Amino acid sequence: MAYEIPTPKYLRVLNTLRKRIEDGDYAPGAALPSENQLCTEFGVSRPTVLKALGILKQDGWIESQQGKGSFVRGRPVSGRTSPDYARDAVELDETGETEILHVGPVLASPRIAAELKIPEGTPVYERRRRTVSEAGPVDLVATFVPVDIAVGTDITRPDPIAGGLLDLIARHKGLRPDYATERMTARRVSDVEAEALEVPADESVMSVVITVHQASGNPIMTSVLVMPGSRHEIEDTYALS
């Protein structure tokens, strides 16, 4: 005689909520129904709901906020952490071996606008710097920050920022970086880049566009890292923790 083992109640809740997140029914940043609402919908006890929510939180699908409830983070990114060059680009302390080349408002190019999810031509703050060594320039990084995030912080000032931009933004704006997307392309250096990097005008460079996001998916800033060398285009996503 065959016996059918019923699916545990908490798994039914967990799988349903996870599918709704995957399908976009619950978008990143959206609040999940309250624990009482979930108990009523699924006809289960509060401990069953809490167990399902606990697993979703542990796996990175949701996050809880004290006194507010549970909020969607989205599909968890891979466990891969950011490579050194990416971490340097978005977190480097500017008081080290760097030279600040430009700080001020610029109009977002089509690529930067797409990364920051703003209309093309929207003003953003640019911080452009290069890393230098005894042998000369090593790389060039231009970081673009939306005006509403930059205003009221030292991002708008020409002085080097100690501790890195992400730490500054977290402290002054309360925005927590969660993950980053990276797009890497090999191309010919531009005239401005060639001058800053002190390389020939026909030099091949590796251009890496790194956009840092909150858990909700909202972008915080975009950095364009340019290094001499070449590589085919690659797109990736990784956790910042």
Side-chain angles (χ1 to χ4, degrees):
M1 182 177 179
Y3 292 91
E4 183 177 346
I5 302 175
T7 302
K9 293 180 179 179
Y10 79 90
L11 277 181
R12 182 163 57 89
V13 178
L14 186 155
N15 290 334
T16 300
L17 294 178
R18 185 165 54 196
K19 187 176 188 306
R20 290 175 182 174
I21 295 173
E22 288 181 318
D23 293 344
D25 297 335
Y26 296 149
L32 289 182
S34 68
E35 293 168 8
N36 289 337
Q37 289 173 321
L38 292 173
C39 289
T40 300
E41 177 183 353
F42 291 98
V44 297
S45 64
R46 186 168 180 271
T48 297
V49 167
L50 289 177
K51 185 171 184 178
L53 294 177
I55 295 173
L56 287 172
K57 180 179 178 181
Q58 179 180 319
D59 291 346
W61 292 87
I62 64 173
E63 62 181 353
S64 59
Q65 297 182 17
Q66 186 68 33
K68 294 183 179 181
S70 298
F71 294 82
V72 176
R73 295 183 66 181
R75 178 187 291 275
V77 297
S78 70
R80 174 178 173 245
T81 56
S82 53
D84 289 342
Y85 64 79
R87 195 168 284 276
D88 284 346
V90 299
E91 298 183 28
L92 184 66
D93 187 325
E94 293 181 344
T95 59
E97 295 179 341
T98 62
E99 293 180 359
I100 305 299
L101 303 179
H102 175 261
V103 175
V106 297
L107 301 181
S109 67
R111 182 61 181 271
I112 298 304
E115 292 291 330
L116 293 176
K117 300 180 182 178
I118 57 177
E120 179 183 343
T122 300
V124 293
Y125 268 93
E126 178 198 39
R127 294 187 68 85
R128 188 167 69 249
R129 60 175 171 76
R130 64 178 178 179
T131 306
V132 294
S133 68
E134 292 183 358
V138 175
D139 60 34
L140 180 67
V141 179
T143 297
F144 303 90
V145 184
V147 171
D148 60 331
I149 295 178
V151 169
T153 74
D154 287 344
I155 291 173
T156 63
R157 299 170 60 86
D159 306 309
I161 294 175
L165 299 187
L166 289 180
D167 179 65
L168 177 76
I169 292 171
R171 285 188 286 108
H172 289 272
K173 297 293 183 174
L175 303 180
R176 188 188 72 179
D178 186 76
Y179 67 95
T181 56
E182 171 191 304
R183 293 173 179 83
M184 183 181 296
T185 309
R187 59 172 174 79
R188 177 168 293 184
V189 68
S190 71
D191 292 340
V192 173
E193 293 164 348
E195 180 179 357
L197 292 171
E198 299 177 4
V199 297
D202 60 351
E203 179 83 1
S204 293
V205 295
M206 183 168 65
S207 175
V208 189
V209 180
I210 305 165
T211 300
V212 178
H213 302 260
Q214 303 175 61
S216 65
N218 293 329
I220 295 176
M221 69 182 197
T222 293
S223 293
V224 180
L225 166 67
V226 179
M227 300 176 287
S230 63
R231 186 171 174 179
H232 296 296
E233 182 170 1
I234 297 174
E235 182 172 339
D236 204 356
T237 300
Y238 40 76
L240 285 174
S241 57

